[in-house]
Amino acid sequence: MKALVLAGGAGTRLRPITHTSAKQLVPVANKPVLFYGLEAIAAAGITDVGIVVGDTFGEITDAVGDGSKFGLDVSYIPQPKPLGLAHAVLVARDYLGEDDFIMYLGDNFVVGGIEGPIRDFRAARPDAHLLLTHVSDPRSFGVAELDAAGRVCGLEEKPAHPRSDLALVGVYLFSPAIHEAVRAVKPSWRGELEITDAVQWLIDAGRDVRSTQITGYWKDTGNVADMLEVNRLVLEATEPRCDGLVDEHSDLIGRVRVEEGAEVRNSRVVGPAVIGAGAVVAGSYVGPFTSIAEDCLVEDSEVEFSIVLRGASISGVRRIEASLIGRHVRVTSAPPVPHAHRLVLGDHSKAQISS
């Protein structure tokens, strides 16, 4: 079995961060989201991985390399334009050959691994096996409908009126039968070749399509709120460790990881939190669920429930929370400006002014 990892999307929902960085490389707990998926694939015993790449090809290849650091053998498959998940299967046809494969969206985060679904797929050998989960608003996802026996009988992509609350998780298992299906479908109203249409084609053709409802945690990290939530979840499992320098005027409380070369001076860090290599936290408060990446500077400031990317600095800012701060950003306090109150008050008036 091979793996097909999709890392070619534009990441419009994470702009402006993704104007200059691949969305799959935005870090969660100081590690790119894409790496969690590659580690899950390696843990499931798959070694041959094709990564579909687009405009951020250079960034992805620099980060992943040949895959050896993950125990993988990685090949890169160019996709000229992000024209849908089924289109990604089309452009990967030569790489995939006649092998079964798992398709994994590179900006997805699945807690609990994928070993179980892969084991079930290998045992039963259906034509397709989908991972599903209940969501509160299925209109934003591909949605599956199950029959009375629990088998997949219908799929829709981002329906206005969903027939169920079961969303497709960004992990799919396919036999070579999917290649005929992706060649048969036409572009949707979005102008894309939808993988949901291809799987529906398999269903209509009487092919064996099965599903598993996952009970663990899954997130599509396509927007800031989801990124922060996944960061929170990962940090919950942080083991406290201090490989950097923490002076006697500082407190580390709870699950805090201070990486090698980092410095914490005259500050209070409340976990779960991580301070990246080479970062400096001085005269500041870093609150729970915060990731400070490598080579950052936080001085005379307060930061909580946020992700701060490599090389950013925050100086003299009273409070930052629920924020995603990009690489090499500079956040400072605004200079004081003169202000005055101009009043016209009648006789016997009373006025209260906050100074």
Side-chain angles (χ1 to χ4, degrees):
M1 178 177 277
K2 290 176 179 173
L4 186 66
V5 176
L6 274 55
T12 55
R13 291 179 295 161
L14 273 175
R15 288 178 179 167
I17 298 293
T18 50
H19 278 308
T20 54
S21 178
K23 65 176 180 176
Q24 299 83 7
L25 297 181
V26 176
V28 167
N30 285 5
K31 181 165 66 176
V33 171
L34 176 62
F35 288 12
Y36 291 95
L38 295 176
E39 289 169 354
I41 289 166
I46 298 173
T47 57
D48 293 330
V49 177
I51 300 182
V52 177
V53 291
D55 291 342
T56 57
F57 171 88
E59 269 196 287
I60 300 293
T61 55
D62 286 347
V64 178
D66 63 2
S68 56
K69 62 185 176 184
F70 304 98
L72 303 173
D73 181 8
V74 168
S75 301
Y76 293 97
I77 303 162
Q79 185 183 27
K81 291 184 179 180
L83 297 177
L85 304 187
H87 182 260
V89 176
L90 274 176
V91 301
R93 180 68 178 91
D94 289 343
Y95 174 78
L96 295 169
E98 294 304 312
D99 293 316
D100 295 339
F101 67 97
I102 181 169
M103 184 167 75
Y104 197 113
L105 275 59
D107 59 350
N108 275 224
F109 189 91
V110 181
V111 171
I114 53 177
E115 295 96 327
I118 288 176
R119 187 167 53 247
D120 294 343
F121 178 83
R122 283 173 162 160
R125 288 298 314 285
D127 294 296
H129 189 112
L130 312 177
L131 271 63
L132 309 176
T133 191
H134 293 281
V135 295
S136 58
D137 185 5
R139 293 173 299 175
S140 300
F141 304 96
V143 176
E145 184 180 8
L146 306 183
D147 62 20
R151 299 181 72 86
V152 180
C153 62
L155 296 170
E156 294 179 282
E157 186 64 34
K158 297 181 174 61
H161 305 287
R163 293 197 289 262
S164 85
D165 67 346
L166 286 171
L168 276 71
V169 173
V171 180
Y172 309 78
L173 293 141
F174 292 121
S175 77
I178 193 63
H179 296 301
E180 183 181 3
V182 298
R183 289 196 302 269
V185 298
K186 304 298 182 185
S188 68
W189 61 270
R190 300 194 305 163
E192 297 186 0
L193 294 177
E194 311 285 2
I195 199 66
T196 46
D197 290 344
V199 177
Q200 184 66 55
W201 187 93
L202 291 175
I203 294 170
D204 294 342
R207 309 302 287 264
D208 188 5
V209 177
R210 305 189 183 190
S211 68
T212 297
Q213 293 184 37
I214 64 171
T215 56
Y217 186 89
W218 165 74
K219 273 289 185 184
D220 167 8
T221 59
N223 61 51
V224 173
D226 287 341
M227 285 293 304
L228 293 172
E229 178 62 15
V230 171
N231 191 62
R232 181 197 66 78
L233 182 77
V234 175
L235 287 175
E236 286 279 17
T238 297
E239 293 295 330
R241 194 181 77 236
C242 183
D243 296 328
L245 173 66
V246 179
D247 72 8
E248 67 274 16
H249 304 295
S250 297
D251 293 316
L252 305 183
I253 301 171
R255 296 186 301 278
V256 177
R257 187 173 82 238
V258 180
E259 297 180 347
E260 185 176 357
E263 296 183 28
V264 179
R265 303 194 300 263
N266 194 30
S267 296
R268 191 167 187 250
V269 182
V270 179
V274 57
I275 310 300
V280 174
V281 177
S284 296
Y285 167 77
V286 175
F289 311 119
T290 302
S291 297
I292 306 294
E294 62 272 22
D295 301 324
C296 287
L297 171 64
V298 180
E299 61 178 356
D300 301 322
S301 299
E302 299 178 7
V303 186
E304 184 168 311
F305 189 50
S306 295
I307 299 172
V308 183
L309 274 60
R310 173 169 49 86
S313 69
I314 301 170
S315 181
V317 181
R318 182 175 179 183
R319 186 76 173 179
I320 291 175
E321 61 182 30
S323 299
L324 174 58
I325 296 173
R327 295 177 298 177
H328 304 290
V329 165
R330 300 288 180 263
V331 182
T332 61
S333 60
V337 294
H339 64 274
H341 302 287
R342 185 174 182 179
L343 307 172
V344 177
L345 299 175
D347 296 346
H348 308 295
S349 296
K350 289 184 179 180
Q352 291 182 327
I353 298 173
S354 297
S355 55

